[in-house]
Amino acid sequence: MKISQNKVTGLFCLIFSLFFVYQAFQIETPPSATMDFLGPSGFPFIIGGLMVLCSLGILFISKNEKDDNDDKVGPNELKSLLPYLLLIFLFILIVPFVGMFIGLLLLAFFMIRLIEKGKLLKELAVSSCVAIAVWVIFDLLLNLSMPMWPILFR
């Protein structure tokens, strides 16, 4: 049985956004914090609520579609996502050891290799640009503390 891509996307987004809202409720107010109307969980709760509304919108759009739509998802289409999910899982596992920069470089490179097999030099250049852009945004512009480099370089 095949179902539409919008239903699958809406359902996954709804589950993720409900989990996000649940996690927003789990954020505790630090004892040293001053009284704030929203508190530390206010902004994540607002974002999660908007995500829930968008997910429901995707689900309602999919109910208005006709059944003869070509955008159907079956077991074969879901199996094609497994290599990408495996790469993301491996990325999460290796980041503490190799750092965000090298991890993103590897993730982008292998995802590009999965999408289309082109010239190796081009794929390395694109994945390097992705890793450099993320480093510039998070480390230099936003000044966020992330494990950008391997443990040996810190």
Side-chain angles (χ1 to χ4, degrees), residues 99-117:
M100 186 71 93
F101 187 82
I102 295 173
L104 270 173
L105 183 86
L106 292 172
L107 177 70
F109 175 75
F110 287 114
M111 282 204 172
I112 292 169
R113 291 291 288 173
L114 280 175
I115 292 170
E116 67 175 58
K117 293 194 180 207

PDB file of all heavy atoms in Angstrom, residues 99-117:
ATOM      1  N   GLY A  99      35.359  16.048  15.693  1.00  0.00           N
ATOM      2  CA  GLY A  99      34.960  17.445  15.646  1.00  0.00           C
ATOM      3  C   GLY A  99      33.908  17.696  14.581  1.00  0.00           C
ATOM      4  O   GLY A  99      33.683  16.883  13.677  1.00  0.00           O
ATOM      5  N   MET A 100      33.255  18.835  14.704  1.00  0.00           N
ATOM      6  CA  MET A 100      32.166  19.185  13.801  1.00  0.00           C
ATOM      7  C   MET A 100      32.666  19.455  12.382  1.00  0.00           C
ATOM      8  O   MET A 100      32.012  19.074  11.419  1.00  0.00           O
ATOM      9  CB  MET A 100      31.426  20.420  14.336  1.00  0.00           C
ATOM     10  CG  MET A 100      30.206  20.778  13.570  1.00  0.00           C
ATOM     11  SD  MET A 100      28.886  19.611  13.842  1.00  0.00           S
ATOM     12  CE  MET A 100      28.058  20.409  15.161  1.00  0.00           C
ATOM     13  N   PHE A 101      33.818  20.087  12.249  1.00  0.00           N
ATOM     14  CA  PHE A 101      34.318  20.454  10.927  1.00  0.00           C
ATOM     15  C   PHE A 101      34.606  19.215  10.084  1.00  0.00           C
ATOM     16  O   PHE A 101      34.103  19.086   8.967  1.00  0.00           O
ATOM     17  CB  PHE A 101      35.572  21.320  11.063  1.00  0.00           C
ATOM     18  CG  PHE A 101      36.058  21.868   9.766  1.00  0.00           C
ATOM     19  CD1 PHE A 101      35.484  23.002   9.228  1.00  0.00           C
ATOM     20  CD2 PHE A 101      37.076  21.243   9.067  1.00  0.00           C
ATOM     21  CE1 PHE A 101      35.917  23.510   8.016  1.00  0.00           C
ATOM     22  CE2 PHE A 101      37.516  21.744   7.861  1.00  0.00           C
ATOM     23  CZ  PHE A 101      36.935  22.879   7.336  1.00  0.00           C
ATOM     24  N   ILE A 102      35.392  18.289  10.614  1.00  0.00           N
ATOM     25  CA  ILE A 102      35.728  17.087   9.855  1.00  0.00           C
ATOM     26  C   ILE A 102      34.494  16.205   9.683  1.00  0.00           C
ATOM     27  O   ILE A 102      34.282  15.611   8.627  1.00  0.00           O
ATOM     28  CB  ILE A 102      36.880  16.322  10.538  1.00  0.00           C
ATOM     29  CG1 ILE A 102      38.143  17.181  10.497  1.00  0.00           C
ATOM     30  CG2 ILE A 102      37.120  14.970   9.884  1.00  0.00           C
ATOM     31  CD1 ILE A 102      39.300  16.628  11.281  1.00  0.00           C
ATOM     32  N   GLY A 103      33.651  16.132  10.716  1.00  0.00           N
ATOM     33  CA  GLY A 103      32.418  15.350  10.614  1.00  0.00           C
ATOM     34  C   GLY A 103      31.499  15.867   9.530  1.00  0.00           C
ATOM     35  O   GLY A 103      30.948  15.089   8.737  1.00  0.00           O
ATOM     36  N   LEU A 104      31.322  17.195   9.456  1.00  0.00           N
ATOM     37  CA  LEU A 104      30.489  17.782   8.399  1.00  0.00           C
ATOM     38  C   LEU A 104      31.105  17.595   7.024  1.00  0.00           C
ATOM     39  O   LEU A 104      30.388  17.365   6.050  1.00  0.00           O
ATOM     40  CB  LEU A 104      30.275  19.274   8.664  1.00  0.00           C
ATOM     41  CG  LEU A 104      29.074  19.631   9.500  1.00  0.00           C
ATOM     42  CD1 LEU A 104      29.075  21.106   9.819  1.00  0.00           C
ATOM     43  CD2 LEU A 104      27.800  19.237   8.818  1.00  0.00           C
ATOM     44  N   LEU A 105      32.409  17.698   6.962  1.00  0.00           N
ATOM     45  CA  LEU A 105      33.100  17.479   5.694  1.00  0.00           C
ATOM     46  C   LEU A 105      32.825  16.060   5.184  1.00  0.00           C
ATOM     47  O   LEU A 105      32.458  15.870   4.018  1.00  0.00           O
ATOM     48  CB  LEU A 105      34.599  17.706   5.876  1.00  0.00           C
ATOM     49  CG  LEU A 105      35.440  17.581   4.631  1.00  0.00           C
ATOM     50  CD1 LEU A 105      35.460  18.907   3.898  1.00  0.00           C
ATOM     51  CD2 LEU A 105      36.840  17.165   4.987  1.00  0.00           C
ATOM     52  N   LEU A 106      32.944  15.072   6.074  1.00  0.00           N
ATOM     53  CA  LEU A 106      32.693  13.685   5.685  1.00  0.00           C
ATOM     54  C   LEU A 106      31.217  13.443   5.361  1.00  0.00           C
ATOM     55  O   LEU A 106      30.882  12.767   4.387  1.00  0.00           O
ATOM     56  CB  LEU A 106      33.149  12.742   6.798  1.00  0.00           C
ATOM     57  CG  LEU A 106      34.652  12.675   7.045  1.00  0.00           C
ATOM     58  CD1 LEU A 106      34.948  11.861   8.305  1.00  0.00           C
ATOM     59  CD2 LEU A 106      35.368  12.110   5.847  1.00  0.00           C
ATOM     60  N   LEU A 107      30.320  14.002   6.189  1.00  0.00           N
ATOM     61  CA  LEU A 107      28.890  13.826   5.951  1.00  0.00           C
ATOM     62  C   LEU A 107      28.482  14.408   4.602  1.00  0.00           C
ATOM     63  O   LEU A 107      27.805  13.744   3.806  1.00  0.00           O
ATOM     64  CB  LEU A 107      28.075  14.489   7.069  1.00  0.00           C
ATOM     65  CG  LEU A 107      26.563  14.448   6.904  1.00  0.00           C
ATOM     66  CD1 LEU A 107      26.039  13.032   7.074  1.00  0.00           C
ATOM     67  CD2 LEU A 107      25.884  15.380   7.882  1.00  0.00           C
ATOM     68  N   ALA A 108      28.903  15.632   4.330  1.00  0.00           N
ATOM     69  CA  ALA A 108      28.551  16.267   3.064  1.00  0.00           C
ATOM     70  C   ALA A 108      29.150  15.498   1.883  1.00  0.00           C
ATOM     71  O   ALA A 108      28.472  15.285   0.867  1.00  0.00           O
ATOM     72  CB  ALA A 108      29.031  17.716   3.047  1.00  0.00           C
ATOM     73  N   PHE A 109      30.389  15.054   2.022  1.00  0.00           N
ATOM     74  CA  PHE A 109      31.038  14.326   0.931  1.00  0.00           C
ATOM     75  C   PHE A 109      30.289  13.038   0.601  1.00  0.00           C
ATOM     76  O   PHE A 109      29.967  12.767  -0.550  1.00  0.00           O
ATOM     77  CB  PHE A 109      32.498  14.018   1.293  1.00  0.00           C
ATOM     78  CG  PHE A 109      33.193  13.177   0.276  1.00  0.00           C
ATOM     79  CD1 PHE A 109      33.607  13.730  -0.921  1.00  0.00           C
ATOM     80  CD2 PHE A 109      33.422  11.830   0.497  1.00  0.00           C
ATOM     81  CE1 PHE A 109      34.241  12.958  -1.885  1.00  0.00           C
ATOM     82  CE2 PHE A 109      34.056  11.050  -0.441  1.00  0.00           C
ATOM     83  CZ  PHE A 109      34.472  11.618  -1.639  1.00  0.00           C
ATOM     84  N   PHE A 110      29.985  12.232   1.628  1.00  0.00           N
ATOM     85  CA  PHE A 110      29.330  10.948   1.366  1.00  0.00           C
ATOM     86  C   PHE A 110      27.876  11.115   0.924  1.00  0.00           C
ATOM     87  O   PHE A 110      27.374  10.313   0.142  1.00  0.00           O
ATOM     88  CB  PHE A 110      29.449  10.016   2.570  1.00  0.00           C
ATOM     89  CG  PHE A 110      30.834   9.466   2.741  1.00  0.00           C
ATOM     90  CD1 PHE A 110      31.599   9.797   3.841  1.00  0.00           C
ATOM     91  CD2 PHE A 110      31.383   8.635   1.781  1.00  0.00           C
ATOM     92  CE1 PHE A 110      32.879   9.302   3.994  1.00  0.00           C
ATOM     93  CE2 PHE A 110      32.666   8.133   1.914  1.00  0.00           C
ATOM     94  CZ  PHE A 110      33.421   8.471   3.030  1.00  0.00           C
ATOM     95  N   MET A 111      27.204  12.169   1.392  1.00  0.00           N
ATOM     96  CA  MET A 111      25.836  12.404   0.917  1.00  0.00           C
ATOM     97  C   MET A 111      25.842  12.838  -0.544  1.00  0.00           C
ATOM     98  O   MET A 111      24.980  12.424  -1.321  1.00  0.00           O
ATOM     99  CB  MET A 111      25.117  13.425   1.796  1.00  0.00           C
ATOM    100  CG  MET A 111      24.628  12.845   3.084  1.00  0.00           C
ATOM    101  SD  MET A 111      23.277  13.796   3.707  1.00  0.00           S
ATOM    102  CE  MET A 111      22.758  12.773   5.054  1.00  0.00           C
ATOM    103  N   ILE A 112      26.811  13.647  -0.909  1.00  0.00           N
ATOM    104  CA  ILE A 112      26.925  14.040  -2.318  1.00  0.00           C
ATOM    105  C   ILE A 112      27.240  12.821  -3.175  1.00  0.00           C
ATOM    106  O   ILE A 112      26.690  12.662  -4.270  1.00  0.00           O
ATOM    107  CB  ILE A 112      27.997  15.142  -2.492  1.00  0.00           C
ATOM    108  CG1 ILE A 112      27.523  16.434  -1.833  1.00  0.00           C
ATOM    109  CG2 ILE A 112      28.298  15.388  -3.956  1.00  0.00           C
ATOM    110  CD1 ILE A 112      28.588  17.500  -1.722  1.00  0.00           C
ATOM    111  N   ARG A 113      28.088  11.927  -2.666  1.00  0.00           N
ATOM    112  CA  ARG A 113      28.416  10.691  -3.404  1.00  0.00           C
ATOM    113  C   ARG A 113      27.181   9.822  -3.591  1.00  0.00           C
ATOM    114  O   ARG A 113      27.022   9.167  -4.616  1.00  0.00           O
ATOM    115  CB  ARG A 113      29.484   9.870  -2.676  1.00  0.00           C
ATOM    116  CG  ARG A 113      30.858  10.457  -2.633  1.00  0.00           C
ATOM    117  CD  ARG A 113      31.558  10.499  -3.931  1.00  0.00           C
ATOM    118  NE  ARG A 113      31.989   9.176  -4.391  1.00  0.00           N
ATOM    119  CZ  ARG A 113      32.497   8.986  -5.581  1.00  0.00           C
ATOM    120  NH1 ARG A 113      32.632   9.986  -6.411  1.00  0.00           N
ATOM    121  NH2 ARG A 113      32.863   7.782  -5.964  1.00  0.00           N
ATOM    122  N   LEU A 114      26.285   9.801  -2.577  1.00  0.00           N
ATOM    123  CA  LEU A 114      25.055   9.019  -2.699  1.00  0.00           C
ATOM    124  C   LEU A 114      24.094   9.620  -3.720  1.00  0.00           C
ATOM    125  O   LEU A 114      23.420   8.903  -4.453  1.00  0.00           O
ATOM    126  CB  LEU A 114      24.345   8.909  -1.349  1.00  0.00           C
ATOM    127  CG  LEU A 114      24.881   7.879  -0.373  1.00  0.00           C
ATOM    128  CD1 LEU A 114      24.148   7.985   0.955  1.00  0.00           C
ATOM    129  CD2 LEU A 114      24.764   6.478  -0.929  1.00  0.00           C
ATOM    130  N   ILE A 115      24.017  10.947  -3.737  1.00  0.00           N
ATOM    131  CA  ILE A 115      23.065  11.609  -4.624  1.00  0.00           C
ATOM    132  C   ILE A 115      23.485  11.453  -6.079  1.00  0.00           C
ATOM    133  O   ILE A 115      22.695  11.054  -6.926  1.00  0.00           O
ATOM    134  CB  ILE A 115      22.912  13.099  -4.245  1.00  0.00           C
ATOM    135  CG1 ILE A 115      22.233  13.218  -2.884  1.00  0.00           C
ATOM    136  CG2 ILE A 115      22.116  13.855  -5.292  1.00  0.00           C
ATOM    137  CD1 ILE A 115      22.237  14.613  -2.304  1.00  0.00           C
ATOM    138  N   GLU A 116      24.726  11.797  -6.359  1.00  0.00           N
ATOM    139  CA  GLU A 116      25.227  11.645  -7.731  1.00  0.00           C
ATOM    140  C   GLU A 116      26.720  11.401  -7.675  1.00  0.00           C
ATOM    141  O   GLU A 116      27.441  12.054  -6.930  1.00  0.00           O
ATOM    142  CB  GLU A 116      24.927  12.871  -8.581  1.00  0.00           C
ATOM    143  CG  GLU A 116      25.674  14.124  -8.172  1.00  0.00           C
ATOM    144  CD  GLU A 116      25.419  15.265  -9.112  1.00  0.00           C
ATOM    145  OE1 GLU A 116      24.260  15.625  -9.277  1.00  0.00           O
ATOM    146  OE2 GLU A 116      26.395  15.782  -9.663  1.00  0.00           O
ATOM    147  N   LYS A 117      27.147  10.468  -8.445  1.00  0.00           N
ATOM    148  CA  LYS A 117      28.575  10.182  -8.494  1.00  0.00           C
ATOM    149  C   LYS A 117      29.175  11.011  -9.611  1.00  0.00           C
ATOM    150  O   LYS A 117      28.953  10.756 -10.779  1.00  0.00           O
ATOM    151  CB  LYS A 117      28.820   8.696  -8.712  1.00  0.00           C
ATOM    152  CG  LYS A 117      28.380   7.890  -7.529  1.00  0.00           C
ATOM    153  CD  LYS A 117      28.915   6.497  -7.593  1.00  0.00           C
ATOM    154  CE  LYS A 117      28.403   5.790  -6.357  1.00  0.00           C
ATOM    155  NZ  LYS A 117      29.201   4.740  -5.918  1.00  0.00           N
TER     156      LYS A 117
END
